[in-house]
Coordinates of all heavy atoms in Angstrom, one line a residue:
M1 N 19.7 41.6 40.4 CA 18.4 41.2 40.8 C 18.4 39.9 41.4 O 18.9 38.9 40.7 CB 17.4 41.3 39.6 CG 16.0 40.9 39.9 SD 15.0 41.0 38.5 CE 14.3 42.6 38.6
Q2 N 17.9 39.7 42.6 CA 17.9 38.4 43.2 C 16.7 37.6 43.0 O 15.6 38.2 42.9 CB 18.0 38.6 44.8 CG 19.4 39.0 45.2 CD 19.5 39.1 46.7 OE1 18.6 38.9 47.4 NE2 20.8 39.0 47.2
Q3 N 16.8 36.4 43.0 CA 15.6 35.5 42.7 C 15.1 35.0 44.0 O 15.9 34.6 44.9 CB 16.0 34.3 41.9 CG 14.9 33.4 41.5 CD 15.4 32.3 40.6 OE1 16.5 31.9 40.6 NE2 14.4 31.8 39.8
T4 N 13.9 35.3 44.3 CA 13.2 34.9 45.6 C 13.1 33.4 45.6 O 13.1 32.7 44.6 CB 11.9 35.5 45.8 OG1 11.0 35.0 44.8 CG2 12.0 37.0 45.7
T5 N 12.9 32.8 46.8 CA 12.7 31.4 47.0 C 11.4 31.0 46.3 O 11.3 29.9 45.7 CB 12.7 31.1 48.5 OG1 14.0 31.6 49.1 CG2 12.6 29.6 48.7
Q6 N 10.4 31.8 46.5 CA 9.2 31.5 45.9 C 9.2 31.3 44.3 O 8.7 30.4 43.8 CB 8.1 32.5 46.2 CG 6.7 32.2 45.8 CD 5.7 33.2 46.3 OE1 6.0 34.2 46.8 NE2 4.5 32.9 46.1
S7 N 9.9 32.3 43.7 CA 10.0 32.2 42.2 C 10.9 31.0 41.9 O 10.7 30.5 40.8 CB 10.5 33.6 41.6 OG 11.8 33.8 42.0
F8 N 11.9 30.8 42.6 CA 12.7 29.6 42.3 C 11.9 28.3 42.3 O 12.1 27.5 41.5 CB 14.0 29.6 43.2 CG 14.8 28.4 43.1 CD1 15.7 28.4 41.9 CD2 14.8 27.3 43.9 CE1 16.5 27.3 41.7 CE2 15.6 26.2 43.7 CZ 16.5 26.2 42.6
D9 N 11.1 28.2 43.4 CA 10.3 27.0 43.6 C 9.3 26.9 42.4 O 9.1 25.7 41.9 CB 9.6 27.0 44.9 CG 10.5 26.8 46.1 OD1 11.7 26.2 45.8 OD2 10.1 27.1 47.2
A10 N 8.8 28.0 42.0 CA 7.8 27.9 40.9 C 8.5 27.6 39.6 O 7.9 26.7 38.8 CB 7.1 29.4 40.7
G11 N 9.7 28.1 39.4 CA 10.5 27.7 38.2 C 10.8 26.2 38.1 O 10.8 25.6 37.1
K12 N 11.2 25.7 39.3 CA 11.5 24.3 39.5 C 10.3 23.4 39.2 O 10.4 22.4 38.5 CB 12.1 24.0 40.8 CG 12.6 22.6 41.0 CD 13.3 22.5 42.4 CE 13.8 21.1 42.5 NZ 14.5 21.0 43.9
K13 N 9.1 23.8 39.7 CA 8.0 23.0 39.5 C 7.5 23.0 38.0 O 7.1 22.0 37.5 CB 6.8 23.5 40.3 CG 6.8 23.2 41.8 CD 5.7 23.7 42.6 CE 5.9 23.5 44.0 NZ 4.8 24.1 44.9
K14 N 7.7 24.1 37.4 CA 7.4 24.2 35.9 C 8.3 23.3 35.2 O 7.9 22.6 34.2 CB 7.5 25.7 35.5 CG 7.1 25.8 34.0 CD 7.2 27.3 33.6 CE 6.7 27.4 32.1 NZ 6.7 28.8 31.6
S15 N 9.6 23.3 35.6 CA 10.6 22.5 34.8 C 10.3 21.1 35.0 O 10.5 20.2 34.1 CB 12.0 22.8 35.3 OG 13.0 22.0 34.8
E16 N 9.9 20.7 36.2 CA 9.5 19.3 36.5 C 8.3 18.9 35.7 O 8.3 17.8 35.1 CB 9.3 19.1 38.0 CG 10.5 19.1 38.9 CD 10.2 19.1 40.4 OE1 9.0 19.0 40.7 OE2 11.1 19.1 41.1
R17 N 7.3 19.7 35.6 CA 6.1 19.5 34.9 C 6.4 19.3 33.4 O 6.0 18.4 32.7 CB 5.1 20.5 35.0 CG 3.8 20.2 34.2 CD 2.7 21.1 34.5 NE 1.6 20.9 33.6 CZ 0.8 19.8 33.7 NH1 1.0 18.9 34.5 NH2 -0.2 19.7 32.8
T18 N 7.3 20.1 32.8 CA 7.7 20.1 31.4 C 8.4 18.8 31.2 O 8.1 18.1 30.1 CB 8.6 21.3 31.1 OG1 7.9 22.5 31.4 CG2 9.1 21.2 29.7
N19 N 9.3 18.3 32.1 CA 10.0 17.1 31.9 C 9.0 15.9 31.9 O 9.1 15.0 31.1 CB 11.1 16.9 33.0 CG 12.2 17.8 32.8 OD1 12.5 18.3 31.7 ND2 12.9 18.1 33.9
L20 N 8.0 16.0 32.8 CA 7.0 14.8 33.0 C 6.2 14.8 31.7 O 5.9 13.7 31.1 CB 6.2 15.0 34.2 CG 6.8 14.7 35.5 CD1 5.9 15.0 36.6 CD2 7.2 13.2 35.5
V21 N 5.8 15.9 31.2 CA 5.0 16.0 29.9 C 5.8 15.5 28.8 O 5.3 14.7 28.0 CB 4.5 17.4 29.7 CG1 3.8 17.5 28.3 CG2 3.4 17.8 30.7
W22 N 7.1 15.9 28.7 CA 7.9 15.5 27.6 C 8.1 13.9 27.6 O 8.0 13.3 26.7 CB 9.3 16.1 27.7 CG 10.2 15.7 26.6 CD1 10.2 16.3 25.3 CD2 11.2 14.7 26.7 NE1 11.2 15.6 24.6 CE2 11.8 14.7 25.4 CE3 11.7 13.9 27.6 CZ2 12.8 13.8 25.0 CZ3 12.7 13.0 27.3 CH2 13.2 13.0 26.0
L23 N 8.3 13.3 28.9 CA 8.4 11.9 29.0 C 7.0 11.2 28.6 O 7.1 10.2 27.9 CB 8.8 11.5 30.4 CG 10.3 11.8 30.8 CD1 10.4 11.5 32.3 CD2 11.2 10.9 30.0
G24 N 6.0 11.8 29.0 CA 4.7 11.3 28.5 C 4.5 11.3 27.1 O 4.0 10.4 26.5
L25 N 5.0 12.4 26.4 CA 4.9 12.4 24.9 C 5.8 11.4 24.3 O 5.3 10.7 23.3 CB 5.4 13.9 24.5 CG 4.4 15.0 24.9 CD1 5.1 16.3 24.5 CD2 3.1 14.9 24.0
V26 N 7.0 11.2 24.8 CA 7.8 10.1 24.3 C 7.2 8.8 24.4 O 7.1 7.9 23.5 CB 9.2 10.2 24.9 CG1 10.1 9.0 24.6 CG2 9.9 11.5 24.5
G27 N 6.7 8.5 25.6 CA 6.0 7.2 25.9 C 4.8 7.0 25.0 O 4.7 5.9 24.4
L28 N 4.0 8.0 24.8 CA 2.8 7.8 23.9 C 3.3 7.6 22.5 O 2.6 6.9 21.7 CB 1.9 9.0 24.1 CG 1.0 9.0 25.4 CD1 0.3 10.4 25.5 CD2 0.1 7.9 25.4
T29 N 4.3 8.3 22.1 CA 4.8 8.2 20.7 C 5.3 6.7 20.5 O 4.9 6.0 19.5 CB 6.0 9.1 20.4 OG1 5.5 10.4 20.6 CG2 6.6 9.0 19.1
L30 N 6.0 6.2 21.4 CA 6.5 4.8 21.3 C 5.3 3.8 21.3 O 5.3 2.8 20.6 CB 7.5 4.4 22.5 CG 8.8 5.2 22.4 CD1 9.6 4.9 23.7 CD2 9.6 4.9 21.2
L31 N 4.4 4.1 22.2 CA 3.1 3.2 22.2 C 2.4 3.2 20.9 O 2.0 2.2 20.4 CB 2.2 3.7 23.3 CG 0.9 2.9 23.5 CD1 1.2 1.4 23.9 CD2 0.0 3.5 24.6
S32 N 2.2 4.3 20.3 CA 1.5 4.5 19.0 C 2.4 3.8 17.9 O 1.8 3.2 17.0 CB 1.2 6.0 18.7 OG 2.4 6.6 18.5
V33 N 3.6 3.9 18.0 CA 4.5 3.2 17.0 C 4.3 1.7 17.1 O 4.2 1.0 16.1 CB 6.0 3.5 17.1 CG1 6.9 2.6 16.3 CG2 6.2 5.0 16.7
V34 N 4.3 1.2 18.3 CA 4.1 -0.3 18.5 C 2.8 -0.7 18.0 O 2.6 -1.8 17.3 CB 4.3 -0.6 20.0 CG1 3.8 -2.0 20.3 CG2 5.7 -0.5 20.4
V35 N 1.7 0.0 18.3 CA 0.4 -0.3 17.8 C 0.3 -0.2 16.3 O -0.2 -1.1 15.6 CB -0.7 0.6 18.5 CG1 -2.0 0.4 17.8 CG2 -0.8 0.3 20.0
G36 N 0.9 0.9 15.7 CA 0.8 1.1 14.3 C 1.6 0.1 13.5 O 1.2 -0.2 12.4
E37 N 2.7 -0.4 14.1 CA 3.5 -1.4 13.3 C 3.3 -2.8 13.7 O 4.0 -3.7 13.3 CB 5.0 -1.0 13.6 CG 5.3 0.4 13.1 CD 5.3 0.5 11.5 OE1 5.6 -0.6 10.8 OE2 5.0 1.5 11.1
S38 N 2.3 -3.1 14.6 CA 2.1 -4.5 15.1 C 1.4 -5.4 14.1 O 1.4 -6.6 14.4 CB 1.3 -4.4 16.4 OG 0.0 -3.9 16.2
G39 N 0.8 -4.9 13.1 CA 0.1 -5.8 12.2 C -0.4 -5.0 11.0 O -0.1 -3.8 10.8
P40 N -1.3 -5.7 10.3 CA -1.9 -4.9 9.2 C -2.7 -3.7 9.6 O -3.3 -3.8 10.7 CB -2.8 -6.0 8.4 CG -3.0 -7.0 9.5 CD -1.8 -7.0 10.4
P41 N -2.9 -2.7 8.8 CA -3.7 -1.6 9.3 C -5.1 -2.0 9.6 O -5.8 -2.8 8.9 CB -3.6 -0.7 8.0 CG -2.6 -1.1 7.2 CD -2.3 -2.6 7.5
S42 N -5.6 -1.4 10.7 CA -7.0 -1.7 11.1 C -7.7 -0.3 11.5 O -7.0 0.6 11.9 CB -7.1 -2.7 12.3 OG -6.5 -2.2 13.4
V43 N -9.0 -0.4 11.5 CA -9.7 0.8 11.9 C -9.5 1.1 13.4 O -9.3 2.3 13.8 CB -11.2 0.6 11.6 CG1 -12.1 1.8 12.1 CG2 -11.4 0.4 10.1
M44 N -9.5 0.0 14.3 CA -9.2 0.2 15.7 C -7.8 0.8 15.9 O -7.7 1.7 16.8 CB -9.4 -1.1 16.4 CG -10.8 -1.6 16.5 SD -12.0 -0.4 17.1 CE -11.5 -0.3 18.8
A45 N -6.8 0.3 15.3 CA -5.5 0.9 15.4 C -5.4 2.4 15.0 O -4.8 3.2 15.7 CB -4.4 0.1 14.7
T46 N -6.1 2.7 13.9 CA -6.2 4.1 13.5 C -6.8 5.0 14.5 O -6.3 6.1 14.8 CB -6.9 4.2 12.1 OG1 -6.3 3.4 11.1 CG2 -7.0 5.5 11.6
F47 N -7.9 4.5 15.0 CA -8.6 5.4 16.0 C -7.9 5.5 17.3 O -7.8 6.5 18.0 CB -10.1 4.9 16.2 CG -11.0 5.2 15.2 CD1 -11.7 4.2 14.5 CD2 -11.1 6.5 14.7 CE1 -12.6 4.6 13.5 CE2 -12.0 6.8 13.7 CZ -12.7 5.9 13.0
F48 N -7.2 4.4 17.7 CA -6.3 4.5 18.9 C -5.2 5.5 18.7 O -4.9 6.3 19.5 CB -5.7 3.2 19.2 CG -4.7 3.1 20.4 CD1 -5.2 3.2 21.7 CD2 -3.4 3.1 20.1 CE1 -4.3 3.3 22.8 CE2 -2.5 3.2 21.2 CZ -2.9 3.3 22.5
I49 N -4.6 5.5 17.6 CA -3.5 6.4 17.2 C -4.0 7.8 17.2 O -3.3 8.7 17.7 CB -2.7 6.0 15.9 CG1 -2.0 4.7 16.2 CG2 -1.7 7.1 15.5 CD1 -1.3 4.0 14.9
C50 N -5.2 8.0 16.6 CA -5.8 9.4 16.6 C -6.0 9.8 18.0 O -5.8 11.1 18.3 CB -7.1 9.4 15.8 SG -6.8 9.3 14.0
L51 N -6.5 9.0 18.9 CA -6.7 9.4 20.3 C -5.4 9.7 21.0 O -5.3 10.8 21.7 CB -7.4 8.3 21.1 CG -8.8 8.1 20.8 CD1 -9.4 6.8 21.6 CD2 -9.6 9.3 21.2
V52 N -4.3 9.0 20.7 CA -3.0 9.4 21.2 C -2.5 10.7 20.6 O -2.0 11.6 21.4 CB -2.0 8.3 20.8 CG1 -0.5 8.7 21.1 CG2 -2.3 7.0 21.6
V53 N -2.8 11.0 19.3 CA -2.4 12.3 18.7 C -3.2 13.4 19.4 O -2.6 14.5 19.7 CB -2.6 12.2 17.2 CG1 -2.5 13.6 16.6 CG2 -1.6 11.3 16.6
L54 N -4.5 13.2 19.7 CA -5.3 14.2 20.4 C -4.7 14.6 21.8 O -4.6 15.7 22.1 CB -6.7 13.8 20.5 CG -7.5 13.8 19.2 CD1 -8.9 13.2 19.4 CD2 -7.7 15.2 18.6
L55 N -4.4 13.5 22.5 CA -3.8 13.7 23.9 C -2.5 14.4 23.8 O -2.2 15.4 24.5 CB -3.7 12.3 24.5 CG -3.1 12.4 26.0 CD1 -3.9 13.3 26.9 CD2 -2.9 11.0 26.5
K56 N -1.6 14.0 22.8 CA -0.3 14.6 22.7 C -0.4 16.1 22.2 O 0.2 17.0 22.8 CB 0.5 13.9 21.7 CG 1.1 12.5 22.2 CD 1.7 11.7 21.2 CE 2.7 12.4 20.4 NZ 3.4 11.5 19.4
G57 N -1.4 16.3 21.3 CA -1.6 17.7 20.9 C -2.1 18.6 22.0 O -1.7 19.7 22.1
R58 N -2.9 18.1 22.8 CA -3.5 18.9 24.0 C -2.3 19.3 24.9 O -2.2 20.4 25.3 CB -4.6 18.2 24.7 CG -5.2 19.1 25.7 CD -6.5 18.5 26.1 NE -7.3 19.3 26.9 CZ -7.3 19.3 28.3 NH1 -6.5 18.4 28.9 NH2 -7.9 20.2 29.0
W59 N -1.4 18.3 25.2 CA -0.3 18.6 26.0 C 0.6 19.6 25.4 O 1.1 20.5 26.1 CB 0.5 17.3 26.3 CG -0.1 16.4 27.4 CD1 -1.1 16.7 28.2 CD2 0.4 15.2 27.8 NE1 -1.4 15.7 29.1 CE2 -0.5 14.7 28.8 CE3 1.4 14.3 27.3 CZ2 -0.3 13.5 29.5 CZ3 1.5 13.1 28.0 CH2 0.7 12.6 29.0
I60 N 0.8 19.5 24.1 CA 1.8 20.4 23.4 C 1.2 21.8 23.5 O 1.9 22.7 23.7 CB 2.1 20.0 22.1 CG1 3.0 18.7 22.1 CG2 2.7 21.1 21.2 CD1 3.1 18.0 20.8
I61 N -0.1 21.9 23.2 CA -0.8 23.2 23.2 C -0.7 23.9 24.5 O -0.4 25.1 24.6 CB -2.3 23.1 22.6 CG1 -2.3 22.8 21.1 CG2 -3.1 24.4 23.0 CD1 -3.6 22.3 20.6
R62 N -1.1 23.1 25.5 CA -1.1 23.6 26.9 C 0.3 24.0 27.5 O 0.5 25.0 28.2 CB -1.9 22.8 27.8 CG -3.4 22.7 27.4 CD -4.2 21.8 28.3 NE -4.0 22.1 29.7 CZ -5.0 22.6 30.5 NH1 -6.2 22.8 29.9 NH2 -4.8 22.8 31.7
D63 N 1.1 23.0 27.3 CA 2.4 23.1 28.0 C 3.6 23.7 27.3 O 4.4 24.4 27.8 CB 2.8 21.8 28.6 CG 1.8 21.3 29.8 OD1 1.7 22.1 30.7 OD2 1.3 20.2 29.7
F64 N 3.7 23.3 26.0 CA 4.9 23.8 25.2 C 4.5 25.0 24.5 O 5.5 25.8 24.2 CB 5.4 22.7 24.3 CG 6.0 21.6 25.1 CD1 5.4 20.3 25.3 CD2 7.3 21.7 25.7 CE1 6.0 19.4 26.0 CE2 7.9 20.8 26.4 CZ 7.2 19.5 26.5
M65 N 3.3 25.2 24.1 CA 3.0 26.5 23.4 C 2.6 27.6 24.3 O 2.5 28.7 24.0 CB 1.8 26.2 22.4 CG 2.2 25.4 21.2 SD 0.8 25.0 20.1 CE 0.4 26.6 19.5
G66 N 2.5 27.2 25.6 CA 2.3 28.2 26.7 C 0.8 28.7 26.7 O 0.6 29.8 27.2
L67 N -0.1 27.9 26.3 CA -1.5 28.4 26.3 C -2.2 28.0 27.5 O -3.4 28.3 27.6 CB -2.2 27.9 25.0 CG -1.8 28.5 23.7 CD1 -2.6 27.9 22.5 CD2 -1.8 30.0 23.8
R68 N -1.6 27.4 28.5 CA -2.3 27.1 29.7 C -2.8 28.3 30.4 O -3.9 28.2 31.0 CB -1.2 26.3 30.6 CG -1.8 25.9 31.9 CD -0.8 25.2 32.8 NE -0.5 23.9 32.3 CZ -1.3 22.8 32.5 NH1 -2.4 22.9 33.1 NH2 -0.9 21.6 31.9
H69 N -2.1 29.3 30.4 CA -2.5 30.6 31.1 C -2.9 31.7 30.1 O -3.0 32.9 30.5 CB -1.3 31.1 32.0 CG -1.0 30.0 33.0 ND1 -1.8 29.6 34.0 CD2 0.2 29.3 33.1 CE1 -1.2 28.7 34.7 NE2 0.0 28.5 34.2
A70 N -3.2 31.3 28.9 CA -3.6 32.4 27.9 C -5.1 32.6 28.1 O -5.8 32.0 28.8 CB -3.4 31.8 26.4
A71 N -5.5 33.6 27.3 CA -7.0 34.0 27.3 C -7.8 32.8 26.9 O -7.4 32.0 26.0 CB -7.2 35.2 26.4
P72 N -8.9 32.5 27.5 CA -9.7 31.4 27.2 C -10.1 31.3 25.7 O -10.1 30.2 25.1 CB -11.0 31.6 27.9 CG -10.5 32.3 29.2 CD -9.5 33.3 28.6
I73 N -10.4 32.4 25.0 CA -10.8 32.3 23.6 C -9.7 31.9 22.8 O -9.8 31.1 21.8 CB -11.3 33.8 23.2 CG1 -11.9 33.6 21.8 CG2 -10.2 34.8 23.2 CD1 -13.2 32.9 21.7
T74 N -8.4 32.3 23.1 CA -7.3 31.8 22.4 C -7.1 30.3 22.5 O -6.8 29.6 21.5 CB -5.9 32.6 22.9 OG1 -6.1 33.9 22.8 CG2 -4.8 32.2 22.0
R75 N -7.2 29.8 23.7 CA -7.1 28.4 24.0 C -8.2 27.6 23.2 O -7.9 26.6 22.6 CB -7.2 28.1 25.4 CG -5.9 28.1 26.2 CD -6.1 27.4 27.6 NE -7.3 27.6 28.3 CZ -7.5 28.6 29.2 NH1 -6.6 29.4 29.5 NH2 -8.7 28.7 29.7
W76 N -9.3 28.1 23.2 CA -10.5 27.4 22.5 C -10.3 27.4 21.1 O -10.6 26.4 20.4 CB -11.8 28.1 22.9 CG -12.3 28.0 24.3 CD1 -11.8 27.1 25.3 CD2 -13.1 28.9 25.0 NE1 -12.4 27.3 26.5 CE2 -13.2 28.4 26.3 CE3 -13.8 30.0 24.6 CZ2 -14.0 29.1 27.3 CZ3 -14.7 30.7 25.6 CH2 -14.7 30.2 26.9
I77 N -9.8 28.5 20.5 CA -9.6 28.6 19.1 C -8.6 27.5 18.6 O -8.7 26.7 17.7 CB -9.3 30.0 18.5 CG1 -10.5 30.8 18.6 CG2 -8.8 29.9 17.1 CD1 -10.2 32.3 18.4
V78 N -7.4 27.6 19.2 CA -6.3 26.7 18.9 C -6.7 25.3 19.1 O -6.4 24.4 18.4 CB -5.0 27.1 19.7 CG1 -3.9 26.1 19.4 CG2 -4.6 28.5 19.2
T79 N -7.2 25.0 20.3 CA -7.6 23.6 20.7 C -8.7 23.1 19.7 O -8.7 21.9 19.3 CB -8.0 23.5 22.1 OG1 -6.9 24.0 22.9 CG2 -8.3 22.1 22.6
G80 N -9.7 23.9 19.5 CA -10.8 23.5 18.6 C -10.4 23.2 17.2 O -10.7 22.2 16.6
Y81 N -9.5 24.1 16.7 CA -8.9 23.8 15.3 C -8.1 22.5 15.3 O -8.3 21.7 14.4 CB -8.0 24.9 14.9 CG -7.4 24.7 13.5 CD1 -8.1 25.0 12.4 CD2 -6.1 24.3 13.5 CE1 -7.6 24.8 11.2 CE2 -5.5 24.1 12.3 CZ -6.2 24.3 11.1 OH -5.6 24.1 9.9
F82 N -7.3 22.3 16.3 CA -6.5 21.0 16.3 C -7.4 19.8 16.5 O -7.2 18.9 15.7 CB -5.5 21.0 17.5 CG -4.8 19.8 17.8 CD1 -3.8 19.5 16.8 CD2 -5.1 18.9 18.7 CE1 -3.1 18.3 17.0 CE2 -4.5 17.7 18.9 CZ -3.5 17.4 18.0
F83 N -8.4 19.8 17.3 CA -9.3 18.7 17.5 C -10.1 18.4 16.2 O -10.3 17.3 15.8 CB -10.2 18.9 18.7 CG -9.6 18.6 20.0 CD1 -9.9 19.4 21.2 CD2 -8.7 17.6 20.2 CE1 -9.3 19.1 22.3 CE2 -8.0 17.3 21.4 CZ -8.4 18.1 22.5
A84 N -10.6 19.5 15.6 CA -11.4 19.3 14.4 C -10.5 18.7 13.3 O -11.0 17.7 12.6 CB -11.9 20.7 13.9
M85 N -9.4 19.2 13.0 CA -8.5 18.7 12.0 C -8.1 17.3 12.2 O -8.2 16.4 11.3 CB -7.3 19.6 11.7 CG -7.6 20.9 11.2 SD -8.4 20.9 9.6 CE -10.0 21.5 10.0
T86 N -7.7 17.0 13.4 CA -7.3 15.6 13.8 C -8.5 14.6 13.7 O -8.3 13.6 13.1 CB -6.7 15.6 15.2 OG1 -5.6 16.5 15.3 CG2 -6.1 14.2 15.5
S87 N -9.6 15.1 14.1 CA -10.8 14.3 14.0 C -11.2 13.9 12.6 O -11.5 12.8 12.2 CB -12.0 14.8 14.8 OG -11.7 15.0 16.1
L88 N -11.1 15.0 11.8 CA -11.4 14.8 10.3 C -10.5 13.8 9.7 O -10.9 12.9 8.9 CB -11.5 16.1 9.6 CG -12.7 17.0 9.9 CD1 -12.4 18.4 9.2 CD2 -13.9 16.4 9.3
V89 N -9.2 14.0 9.9 CA -8.2 13.1 9.3 C -8.5 11.7 9.8 O -8.5 10.7 9.1 CB -6.7 13.5 9.7 CG1 -5.8 12.5 9.3 CG2 -6.5 14.8 9.0
G90 N -8.7 11.5 11.1 CA -9.0 10.2 11.7 C -10.2 9.5 11.1 O -10.2 8.3 10.7
I91 N -11.2 10.3 11.0 CA -12.5 9.7 10.3 C -12.3 9.4 8.9 O -12.7 8.3 8.5 CB -13.7 10.7 10.6 CG1 -14.1 10.8 12.0 CG2 -14.9 10.4 9.7 CD1 -15.0 12.0 12.4
F92 N -11.6 10.2 8.2 CA -11.4 9.9 6.7 C -10.5 8.7 6.6 O -10.8 7.9 5.8 CB -10.7 11.2 6.1 CG -10.4 11.0 4.6 CD1 -11.5 11.1 3.7 CD2 -9.2 10.8 4.2 CE1 -11.2 11.0 2.4 CE2 -8.9 10.7 2.8 CZ -9.9 10.7 1.9
V93 N -9.4 8.6 7.3 CA -8.5 7.4 7.2 C -9.3 6.2 7.7 O -9.2 5.1 7.0 CB -7.2 7.7 8.0 CG1 -6.4 6.4 8.0 CG2 -6.4 8.8 7.4
G94 N -10.0 6.2 8.8 CA -10.8 5.1 9.3 C -11.8 4.6 8.2 O -12.0 3.4 8.0
Y95 N -12.5 5.6 7.6 CA -13.5 5.2 6.6 C -12.8 4.6 5.4 O -13.3 3.6 4.9 CB -14.2 6.5 6.2 CG -15.1 6.2 5.0 CD1 -16.4 5.5 5.2 CD2 -14.8 6.6 3.7 CE1 -17.3 5.3 4.2 CE2 -15.7 6.4 2.7 CZ -16.9 5.7 2.9 OH -17.8 5.4 1.9
L96 N -11.7 5.1 5.0 CA -11.0 4.4 3.9 C -10.5 3.0 4.2 O -10.6 2.1 3.4 CB -9.8 5.3 3.5 CG -10.1 6.6 2.7 CD1 -8.8 7.4 2.5 CD2 -10.8 6.3 1.5
Q97 N -10.0 2.8 5.4 CA -9.6 1.5 5.8 C -10.8 0.6 6.0 O -10.8 -0.6 5.6 CB -8.9 1.5 7.2 CG -7.5 2.1 7.1 CD -6.8 2.1 8.4 OE1 -7.4 2.1 9.4 NE2 -5.5 2.4 8.3
F98 N -12.0 1.1 6.4 CA -13.2 0.2 6.6 C -13.7 -0.2 5.2 O -14.0 -1.3 5.1 CB -14.2 1.0 7.3 CG -15.5 0.3 7.5 CD1 -15.6 -0.7 8.4 CD2 -16.6 0.7 6.8 CE1 -16.8 -1.4 8.5 CE2 -17.8 0.0 6.9 CZ -17.9 -1.1 7.8
T99 N -13.7 0.8 4.3 CA -14.2 0.4 3.0 C -13.3 -0.5 2.2 O -13.7 -1.2 1.3 CB -14.6 1.7 2.1 OG1 -13.4 2.5 2.0 CG2 -15.7 2.4 2.7
A100 N -12.0 -0.4 2.5 CA -11.0 -1.2 1.8 C -11.1 -2.7 2.2 O -10.8 -3.6 1.4 CB -9.6 -0.7 2.1
T101 N -11.6 -2.9 3.4 CA -11.8 -4.2 3.9 C -13.1 -4.9 3.5 O -13.3 -6.1 3.8 CB -11.6 -4.4 5.4 OG1 -12.5 -3.5 6.1 CG2 -10.2 -3.9 5.8
Q102 N -14.0 -4.1 3.0 CA -15.3 -4.7 2.6 C -15.3 -5.4 1.3 O -14.7 -5.2 0.4 CB -16.3 -3.5 2.6 CG -16.6 -2.9 3.9 CD -17.2 -3.8 5.0 OE1 -18.1 -4.6 4.7 NE2 -16.7 -3.8 6.1

């Protein structure tokens, strides 16, 4: 079975996108480590790291779990669950840090 030029180009573009997303994930991870380890825990640092986690999670769900082209209801359920849980953890940890500094 021969691979057509069109399917080869599509596979190459997908591979390039995967590499770019992976590099973005590594960069955001390093950025969140720098922010998280730069000083004493703060509410702003916690919320920034939660935003980074949300962005990274969305990339992972869409590009590495393959839900970019899945049925919309599947994408909504997985993405909604991820956003809800990450937001709850961020709010809880931020609240604990806020009350600890009062």
Side-chain angles (χ1 to χ4, degrees):
M1 180 181 264
Q2 288 187 345
Q3 187 176 21
T4 65
T5 305
Q6 185 179 11
S7 66
F8 177 75
D9 290 341
K12 187 175 179 182
K13 287 179 183 177
K14 183 177 180 184
S15 176
E16 289 173 2
R17 176 165 177 77
T18 301
N19 289 338
L20 286 174
V21 170
W22 183 81
L23 286 172
L25 290 170
V26 170
L28 286 173
T29 299
L30 294 174
L31 179 64
S32 63
V33 167
V34 168
V35 169
E37 297 294 327
S38 65
S42 70
V43 176
M44 291 305 292
T46 299
F47 285 125
F48 175 77
I49 291 171
C50 284
L51 288 175
V52 169
V53 168
L54 288 171
L55 179 61
K56 287 171 52 178
R58 186 162 190 266
W59 278 353
I60 290 169
I61 289 168
R62 291 175 57 107
D63 292 306
F64 290 106
M65 291 176 66
L67 293 180
R68 177 178 294 278
H69 303 292
I73 189 72
T74 305
R75 271 196 322 265
W76 295 337
I77 290 171
V78 173
T79 304
Y81 177 80
F82 174 74
F83 282 143
M85 291 300 110
T86 305
S87 299
L88 285 173
V89 168
I91 290 168
F92 183 71
V93 170
Y95 175 76
L96 289 177
Q97 287 179 343
F98 178 75
T99 57
T101 58
Q102 295 296 318

